[in-house]
Amino acid sequence: MAKITRIEAWMIDLKPKVKRTDAIQSFVSQETPMVRITDSDGASGIGYTYTIGTGGPSIMKLLEHTLLPALIGRDAGEVERIWRDLLFLTHATTVGAITSLALAAIDTALWDLRCRKAGLPLHVMAGGAQESVPLYTTEGGWLHLSPEELVDDALKARADGFRGAKIKIGRPHVREDVARLAAVRAALGDGFEIMTDANQAFQVDEAIRRARHYEPLDIAWFEEPLTADDLSGHQRLCASTSIPVAVGESLYSPLHFREYLQRNACSVVQVDVARIGGITPWLKVAHLAEAFNMPVCPHFLMELHVALCCAAPNARWVEYIPQLDTLTTAPMARRDGRAFPSPEPGIGIAWDAEMLEKQTVPGSSLAFG
């Protein structure tokens, strides 16, 4: 089997194309650590991860000092073994966001390499369960927008084929949230899905109260209503409302998802391939959710999640937030409100080598082997 002979890493800092605000933050930057792994056959794969504005240099340091040196000489095809060995190597910092995000950059690179050598696209290599997945957009539902602006954007999204839109919630008073959601529902009708996202803004009493006000609007889900570590709070909320509760973007271990599923603390699984630690654990969570008869609707990273969703039979939605367009030669394919995975071997992202080099943060580049 081919051994890993060379590893390169670097970081890119992407700026969002529109102003993005939610109940707790403003999304001003996407730090994007990247890893290229080359084996003794000369084949290579590229993986990546991200942070929202902070933490990127910490991920790069963990890669530099701990994770990447441990890869030289390893069998590149043993993706599961490598992921577990690296997880153990970082047991002092696991479970946590920085460790999971760093593992994801490596794991996605190994899967890219594996798929390329097999001559298969990721969605087939990982399962091949679906040909496409419906899309909803988040790019026009930010918290600072007025009801009129939300309606205008939702109408444009529907005209562009989208089947739903996410509206950020968490305005100072529940009546403000209701007014914004009601405006979109009145303008778009019952056939257009409205997802809501509180970004962990509420305490459990307020989440229960707001859910009661949201129920008549027939929203698709109530996303991240509470801090992700408040498991009992999510149980109380789920028991008190008919609205599906969505969690996952702030969970960093398959065991965390197991606890939520076993305790009836969610209804929608939003596992994020970067924050869970890569494709290897993402697939475990997706199949765990399948065993509980729950849908997977992943958070962000649509260019990678489209292939993973098409690999999983219980994936229901792909979230549309374009972010990699300036780094690729071809955008994610979408037609008639659905996302389609790339048929090319690999994880499905057509990186633009020139732009990757041009947008690399000065001083961030690393090389081993």
Side-chain angles (χ1 to χ4, degrees), residues 179-190:
R180 299 168 83 248
L181 297 171
V184 175
R185 174 60 72 213
L188 276 294
D190 295 334

Side-chain angles (χ1 to χ4, degrees), residues 6 18 30 54 61 71 76 85 88 95 99 112 182 200 210 328:
R6 182 171 174 79
V18 301
Q30 179 188 314
T54 59
K61 285 298 182 183
L71 291 174
D85 286 349
F88 179 78
V95 173
T99 298
D112 192 41
Q200 306 183 73
R210 295 210 180 201
T328 60

Side-chain angles (χ1 to χ4, degrees), residues 176-359:
E176 296 178 78
D177 280 348
V178 170
R180 299 168 83 248
L181 297 171
V184 175
R185 174 60 72 213
L188 276 294
D190 295 334
F192 190 79
E193 294 288 1
I194 299 175
M195 296 75 172
T196 64
D197 186 359
N199 294 98
Q200 306 183 73
F202 303 133
Q203 294 178 316
V204 65
D205 63 325
E206 185 65 13
I208 291 172
R209 177 193 182 209
R210 295 210 180 201
R212 176 167 52 84
H213 286 276
Y214 302 153
E215 282 186 343
L217 297 165
D218 191 28
I219 60 176
W221 66 62
F222 188 178
E223 180 177 334
E224 286 207 307
L226 313 168
T227 57
D229 52 0
D230 186 2
L231 181 58
S232 63
H234 281 86
Q235 286 180 281
R236 288 179 59 195
L237 176 61
C238 285
S240 71
T241 182
S242 63
I243 300 173
V245 174
V247 301
E249 71 176 81
S250 300
L251 299 181
Y252 301 98
S253 166
L255 298 181
H256 290 166
F257 283 95
R258 183 194 68 182
E259 293 300 308
Y260 267 86
L261 292 167
Q262 285 182 330
R263 301 190 187 189
N264 298 314
C266 69
S267 301
V268 179
V269 171
Q270 295 186 302
V271 57
D272 180 312
V273 67
R275 295 181 178 184
I276 196 63
I279 292 168
T280 298
W282 192 99
L283 291 169
K284 296 177 190 296
V285 173
H287 293 309
L288 176 64
E290 181 187 5
F292 278 84
N293 197 30
M294 288 194 190
V296 168
C297 306
H299 166 256
F300 200 37
L301 297 184
M302 65 180 192
E303 296 88 353
L304 185 49
H305 280 138
V306 59
L308 292 176
C309 282
C310 286
N314 54 321
R316 183 176 294 172
W317 291 97
V318 170
E319 180 176 24
Y320 183 84
I321 307 180
Q323 192 71 2
L324 296 183
D325 291 358
T326 61
L327 300 179
T328 60
T329 57
M332 182 190 72
R334 59 186 182 95
R335 298 187 300 276
D336 301 322
R338 302 183 70 88
F340 291 80
S342 169
E344 298 299 320
I347 61 173
I349 300 175
W351 299 109
D352 185 326
E354 182 179 346
M355 292 304 297
L356 290 180
E357 181 176 357
K358 182 178 180 181
Q359 295 197 40

Side-chain angles (χ1 to χ4, degrees), residues 46-237:
I46 295 178
Y48 71 113
T49 189
Y50 77 100
T51 75
I52 300 178
T54 59
S58 298
I59 293 170
M60 295 300 295
K61 285 298 182 183
L62 184 58
L63 290 170
E64 177 182 7
H65 293 291
T66 304
L67 298 178
L68 298 186
L71 291 174
I72 298 296
R74 297 294 303 265
D75 185 336
E78 295 181 341
V79 177
E80 176 78 29
R81 178 179 291 185
I82 289 174
W83 188 85
R84 289 188 171 278
D85 286 349
L86 294 182
L87 183 69
F88 179 78
L89 189 62
T90 57
H91 67 274
T93 59
T94 303
V95 173
I98 290 175
T99 298
S100 292
L101 290 164
L103 289 172
I106 294 170
D107 191 69
T108 52
L110 288 171
W111 272 89
D112 192 41
L113 174 58
R114 181 188 192 189
C115 291
R116 290 178 183 276
K117 296 195 75 169
L120 293 172
L122 174 60
H123 73 281
V124 174
M125 190 80 172
Q130 305 187 63
E131 293 183 352
S132 63
V133 180
L135 276 168
Y136 75 91
T137 179
T138 296
E139 196 66 325
W142 305 105
L143 196 63
H144 66 278
L145 297 175
S146 68
E148 293 76 18
E149 290 171 313
L150 294 175
V151 168
D152 287 345
D153 184 84
L155 289 170
K156 292 175 184 176
R158 186 175 65 180
D160 199 24
F162 290 101
R163 305 183 182 194
K166 181 180 290 181
I167 308 298
K168 297 291 185 176
I169 54 177
R171 299 290 295 180
H173 195 278
V174 64
R175 293 188 183 279
E176 296 178 78
D177 280 348
V178 170
R180 299 168 83 248
L181 297 171
V184 175
R185 174 60 72 213
L188 276 294
D190 295 334
F192 190 79
E193 294 288 1
I194 299 175
M195 296 75 172
T196 64
D197 186 359
N199 294 98
Q200 306 183 73
F202 303 133
Q203 294 178 316
V204 65
D205 63 325
E206 185 65 13
I208 291 172
R209 177 193 182 209
R210 295 210 180 201
R212 176 167 52 84
H213 286 276
Y214 302 153
E215 282 186 343
L217 297 165
D218 191 28
I219 60 176
W221 66 62
F222 188 178
E223 180 177 334
E224 286 207 307
L226 313 168
T227 57
D229 52 0
D230 186 2
L231 181 58
S232 63
H234 281 86
Q235 286 180 281
R236 288 179 59 195
L237 176 61

